[in-house]
Amino acid sequence: YSLYIVPGMQTAEFMQTRALDVLLEKVKNGAVLLTTYDGGALVPFEQITGCKSLGRSKACALETEFNGKKIFIPRDYALSLSPVSAKVLATDGNGKPCLTVNDFGKGKVIFFNAPLERFVATTENVVTAADSGIETVYAYAAELAGIKRKVICDNPLVDITLHPLSETKTVAVFRND
């Protein structure tokens, strides 16, 4: 695979060391890793994310903008970050990095300092909300990984599923909620 997502890390031991080593080896060889923060972190954090953690604190909701879209996500905790080798893609209301990308071998590590997946899983209609902006984070990760959609629809209220019929034919089903 060219893209791996490690969602909502909640503890420092969220993944066995061996599994993390295997994943990071894939990233070193050119894959993209998107990871989101929900209280836990990758170790060694600075080497992987390219950011130094200055500590964890209670946090208010994250309000930011990325690729022209506003993003609002409630969060219990946030890391105070200082970029070392990472590029800052977005900052929070205090000007602190909340979305970064770091070179890791031949690959990239994207770090989002908010519980994106918990927000999606627990918020009614968030996936179809036209102004949620959350899709920009995933779209950026897919773009970095070289993943292109076969069918594109810019209406956030339309879901698309692809159903392969054969090696050369696929049916696209559009559903408007």
Side-chain angles (χ1 to χ4, degrees):
Y1 298 105
S2 59
L3 174 62
Y4 294 87
I5 299 173
V6 176
M9 297 177 300
Q10 293 186 327
T11 66
E13 296 84 30
F14 73 96
M15 183 184 283
Q16 293 180 352
T17 303
R18 176 71 181 124
L20 180 60
D21 289 345
V22 169
L23 176 60
L24 292 177
E25 192 60 34
K26 292 175 189 259
V27 177
K28 283 180 185 174
N29 289 324
V32 172
L33 170 63
L34 168 62
T35 183
T36 60
Y37 180 74
D38 196 4
L42 296 167
V43 177
F45 185 79
E46 185 175 324
Q47 178 187 351
I48 297 169
T49 65
C51 292
K52 181 175 182 148
S53 172
L54 304 176
R56 178 180 106 145
S57 61
K58 286 273 194 191
C60 57
L62 170 66
E63 293 185 54
T64 191
E65 188 172 313
F66 180 59
N67 281 349
K69 295 263 191 151
K70 291 184 182 208
I71 301 172
F72 174 86
I73 298 177
R75 58 184 179 174
D76 300 326
Y77 296 95
L79 293 176
S80 179
L81 301 174
S82 175
V84 176
S85 59
K87 177 182 174 186
V88 177
L89 302 174
T91 57
D92 64 18
N94 297 318
K96 294 285 187 185
C98 62
L99 180 62
T100 62
V101 63
N102 187 47
D103 292 332
F104 194 81
K106 295 177 185 174
K108 306 270 187 199
V109 175
I110 304 164
F111 180 73
F112 191 59
N113 195 7
L116 182 57
E117 291 77 17
R118 178 163 49 105
F119 175 64
V120 170
T122 61
T123 305
E124 189 174 330
N125 295 325
V126 70
V127 176
T128 59
D131 59 350
S132 71
I134 58 173
E135 75 282 354
T136 61
V137 176
Y138 294 113
Y140 175 74
E143 181 182 321
L144 271 186
I147 298 170
K148 298 191 186 312
R149 294 181 180 179
K150 292 180 181 181
V151 178
I152 298 172
C153 178
D154 62 1
N155 184 334
L157 299 177
V158 175
D159 292 328
I160 304 170
T161 57
L162 300 178
H163 306 273
L165 299 177
S166 68
E167 286 187 30
T168 59
K169 292 183 182 181
T170 300
V171 170
V173 176
F174 295 75
R175 192 184 87 205
N176 186 358
D177 280 338

